Amino acid sequence: MTIVLDDITGADKLYPFGRIKSIAHIRVGMLTILEKWQHYFEHVALLSEHEKPEGDIFSFSALDIPSLELLKSLAAGHHHVNGHFVSLRHAADIFKNNDWALRQDFEMLTTNKTSQSLPNDIFVKAAGNIFVEPGAQIHTSFINAEAGPVYISEKAEIMEGAMLRGPVFVGKNAVVKLGTKIYGGTTIGPHCLAGGEIKNSVLMGFSNKAHDGYLGDSVLGEWCNLGAGTSNSNLKNNASHVMLVSHKGEEPMDAGTKCGLLMGDYSRSAINTSFNTGTITGVSCNIFGERPGKFVPDFSWGTERYDFEKAMRDINNWKKLKGFELTEGERISLLSIYNNQK
């Protein structure tokens, strides 16, 4: 059986995410959308990369996150599958559904597996809801899994004084720094640095929110960096609904009463940057100076346009800090965005 994910139709709905790589690579919960399918199926194809294969296939939208029940039902050969999808209709739906996805993925990843023992010098509640992979380092910290599970991946490090309240995922090679406070519904993706206060947010991977400051009801793409003291508002002073400004000049979208920062891949903020409720930044933005508006276009350098070659140089410098380099495929994708920017 082959699963085909349509990652083309409606992909622009998730702006500013899923533009360098397929929307199937967006992380919601512990796994990316693609990884959820690959956990049960050997053959998963993306419509953007291959023509629709022949034979026994099932097609689904990459905007729809399958429940664990649905994946199990389909993997068991049931054509009339049980379970449901959670649909992503806008980028804000990533953090809005992250709590649910964390719980689904925790059950998926821990079935028939045994956690590593927890150190004796940490403070724990509901230890049975905590799963630790081999090679993770957990120093004297506080982990409360009563309200939801906590999953700590291999080679991740939880430093002294950190406080985690589930559901929380800490990905491979991620570091939760000294005294960090992480509330439920939060994903710290692989190779991320987490510090300060984080609540109900997704750091997709390779991104840093390493210092004091607040990040709530927000999503950071890959290779982002928030300077020390950067904070976002996630609730308006009058508690009214947060309206997201579209990059296409369309009518603003109602994101509900809580929505923080939605930051595209390769974007960065300077120290002490303050983001308003419902701020969207595009890809490859360097944000400094005056407080940014509710929408920051792709390739913004302060209030000017980022020179493309300087942007590529800076991205590559950031990637080298984690032992990676800018690939030709990434450069081509970024150049296409740059050239097609209105």
Side-chain angles (χ1 to χ4, degrees):
M1 178 189 297
T2 298
I3 302 296
V4 177
L5 298 181
D6 179 357
D7 58 338
I8 299 174
T9 306
D12 59 341
K13 292 180 180 179
L14 299 187
Y15 182 93
F17 307 111
R19 306 177 69 211
I20 311 301
K21 295 187 290 187
S22 163
I23 59 171
H25 294 288
I26 288 175
R27 189 176 306 275
V28 189
M30 302 180 184
L31 302 173
T32 67
I33 296 168
L34 178 62
E35 288 170 344
K36 296 176 197 297
W37 288 100
Q38 290 175 331
H39 190 81
Y40 280 96
F41 300 96
E42 182 179 356
H43 303 292
V44 182
L46 302 180
L47 205 56
S48 62
E49 298 178 359
H50 307 282
E51 294 184 2
K52 199 169 183 179
E54 301 291 334
D56 188 15
I57 64 170
F58 282 80
S59 296
F60 300 96
S61 171
L63 293 171
D64 295 333
I65 305 172
S67 68
L68 179 57
E69 181 185 6
L70 187 146
L71 288 170
K72 286 181 176 179
S73 179
L74 188 60
H78 301 148
H79 286 204
H80 298 287
V81 295
N82 299 317
H84 64 284
F85 291 98
V86 169
S87 297
L88 302 178
R89 301 305 180 197
H90 194 276
D93 287 336
I94 296 170
F95 74 78
K96 289 178 182 293
N97 291 292
N98 202 52
D99 185 295
W100 171 84
L102 284 166
R103 298 172 193 271
Q104 298 283 310
D105 289 350
F106 184 85
E107 184 178 348
M108 181 191 301
L109 293 177
T110 60
T111 298
N112 299 322
K113 293 183 179 179
T114 302
S115 171
Q116 298 298 295
S117 298
L118 294 167
N120 293 326
D121 62 345
I122 70 171
F123 300 86
V124 173
K125 284 191 174 182
N129 286 337
I130 301 171
F131 192 94
V132 181
E133 290 188 351
Q137 299 181 58
I138 307 176
H139 305 287
T140 306
S141 53
F142 304 80
I143 304 177
N144 183 350
E146 287 184 322
V150 174
Y151 193 105
I152 302 173
S153 304
E154 64 173 308
K155 298 183 181 179
E157 182 177 8
I158 312 298
M159 290 185 175
E160 293 84 351
M163 295 178 282
L164 283 64
R165 192 176 195 276
V168 167
F169 172 72
V170 182
K172 183 178 180 180
N173 289 307
V175 176
V176 177
K177 298 183 72 178
L178 293 166
T180 303
K181 295 174 285 187
I182 301 181
Y183 293 84
T186 293
T187 293
I188 308 299
H191 298 269
C192 287
L193 295 180
E197 182 179 4
I198 305 173
K199 172 246 176 187
N200 194 39
S201 295
V202 176
L203 283 68
M204 289 193 189
F206 303 94
S207 290
N208 303 327
K209 193 274 178 206
H211 304 287
D212 286 343
Y214 177 69
L215 184 72
D217 299 291
S218 297
V219 182
L220 302 185
E222 294 190 342
W223 299 104
C224 297
N225 187 75
L226 302 185
T230 294
S231 289
N232 76 271
S233 168
N234 64 334
L235 178 66
K236 296 176 70 173
N237 284 345
N238 59 10
S240 62
H241 282 212
V242 181
M243 305 304 292
L244 297 173
V245 177
S246 170
H247 67 293
K248 293 183 176 180
E250 299 167 351
E251 289 296 316
M253 179 209 157
D254 188 341
T257 57
K258 287 195 174 183
C259 182
L261 171 66
L262 304 172
M263 176 176 275
D265 296 342
Y266 309 112
S267 288
R268 306 175 293 280
S269 69
I271 62 170
N272 296 324
T273 301
S274 296
F275 288 101
N276 290 311
T277 50
T279 295
I280 299 175
T281 83
V283 303
S284 189
C285 296
N286 194 349
I287 299 165
F288 58 89
E290 62 186 45
R291 177 181 292 188
K294 295 262 289 184
F295 175 71
V296 181
D298 299 325
F299 291 97
S300 291
W301 171 272
T303 58
E304 301 178 4
R305 196 180 192 211
Y306 219 146
D307 176 81
F308 181 77
E309 291 304 326
K310 288 182 179 179
M312 296 304 100
R313 176 202 64 193
D314 295 345
I315 288 172
N316 199 42
N317 287 341
W318 277 100
K319 295 194 74 169
K320 285 180 179 179
L321 292 177
K322 293 182 186 282
F324 294 82
E325 291 192 358
L326 183 68
T327 68
E328 184 60 24
E330 290 170 321
R331 181 184 172 88
I332 291 171
S333 294
L334 287 161
L335 182 60
S336 176
I337 294 171
Y338 191 87
N339 289 335
N340 290 309
Q341 186 176 3
K342 294 181 180 179

